Amino acid sequence: MEPTVARTGPPLADLSGLLDGVPGQRAPRPVTRPVEEGPRAGRLRPPRIPVPFTLSYAAVLAVTSYVAAHADPDLVHALHQGSSTDVAHLLRTPVLVLIASALWVAGGLASPFTLGFLIVLTALERRVGGARTAVVFLLGHVLATLATEVPVGLAVLVGHLPDSSLHRLDYGISFGVAASVGALAGLLRPWLRWPLLLAFGGMLLQDLIAFTDPLTNWGHLIALSIGVGTWPWVRRWSRERADDRN
């Protein structure tokens, strides 16, 4: 413990003489305050980062997106392939690829999921905290990935799909973002919650109807449903965080 000295307020002798003669009044006692000495004296605390998880994650995505945009195409393809959560990789190194695949943005920083990531995760983290936001994101990312890739593996096993489907390229943050949208909706007022779900869910349904990438499109809808399923958790977390602040 560093040494402290007591500093008293201004002399109160004059106030004592005035108040001692008034019935029911007593002179106030001198107030003492500890004053720090040593190397910490006068040092300001560093500013608190409001959403550390979102900002740190966004910084990582900015780096990987820069690499994807400027590195040699063959190297980028190899990195994406090594991070892919296809069936073959999930059977060999499931934990590694589930983490690595979430370090890339499919489509780069121009993807609409990049803006969605920043807005949605910032709002969610401010309500429930960084660790719990990470839990929601990972639930959507992991469970939606397994829900779409496991049927592919089974279809190949019974001969309904070719063996090449086991190496289908699959990476990105979109499943985690979709789950975060679903979770955040549960914390909004009804007049904002349902329009958000209808607008986002409608966009995902349009992508599915277009049938350009049905497996990924189904994954987005599954991830959104996973986020909606976390409403009891995120609402309790939000109340706990609000009580802690009070």
Side-chain angles (χ1 to χ4, degrees):
M1 177 180 293
E2 297 184 359
T4 59
V5 298
R7 183 177 65 195
T8 60
L12 297 174
D14 294 338
L15 290 176
S16 300
L18 291 174
L19 294 179
D20 285 343
V22 180
Q25 298 293 334
R26 299 180 62 186
R29 296 178 179 177
V31 178
T32 61
R33 298 184 181 89
V35 178
E36 283 191 291
E37 289 183 349
R40 293 186 181 179
R43 182 179 298 178
L44 296 177
R45 292 183 179 179
R48 178 176 175 271
I49 301 175
V51 284
F53 170 72
T54 301
L55 293 179
S56 300
Y57 199 168
V60 173
L61 294 176
V63 171
T64 57
S65 297
Y66 180 86
V67 170
H70 296 88
D72 180 76
D74 292 337
L75 173 61
V76 173
H77 178 74
L79 291 172
H80 285 166
Q81 189 66 53
S83 304
S84 174
T85 50
D86 53 57
V87 176
H89 280 106
L90 286 173
L91 289 174
R92 292 198 302 266
T93 55
V95 176
L96 176 62
V97 294
L98 283 170
I99 295 174
S101 64
L103 303 180
W104 303 91
V105 182
L109 293 179
S111 168
F113 281 99
T114 303
L115 180 61
F117 172 92
L118 292 173
I119 294 175
V120 174
L121 265 73
T122 295
L124 186 60
E125 185 171 358
R126 290 180 67 90
R127 297 289 194 93
V128 302
R132 290 161 173 174
T133 299
V135 169
V136 172
F137 186 94
L138 287 174
L139 274 177
H141 175 69
V142 172
L143 295 183
T145 296
L146 296 178
T148 52
E149 293 295 342
V150 169
V152 171
L154 294 176
V156 172
L157 186 63
V158 299
H160 290 169
L161 288 175
D163 291 346
S164 60
S165 298
L166 298 176
H167 304 279
R168 172 185 172 274
L169 198 61
D170 186 16
Y171 64 90
I173 60 171
S174 57
F175 290 172
V177 173
S180 300
V181 171
L184 178 63
L187 301 176
L188 303 177
R189 296 185 181 276
W191 62 268
L192 185 56
R193 175 189 311 148
W194 301 115
L196 173 64
L197 288 176
L198 288 174
F200 188 70
M203 181 187 73
L204 298 182
L205 282 173
Q206 286 182 345
D207 291 342
L208 181 61
I209 293 172
F211 214 69
T212 55
D213 189 358
L215 203 62
T216 298
N217 300 146
W218 273 116
H220 289 153
L221 288 169
I222 292 171
L224 179 63
S225 301
I226 291 170
V228 172
T230 65
W231 282 4
W233 295 351
V234 295
R235 286 169 174 169
R236 185 176 71 251
W237 294 340
S238 180
R239 288 193 300 267
E240 291 174 355
R241 188 168 176 83
D243 290 342
D244 292 340
R245 288 175 176 174
N246 294 332

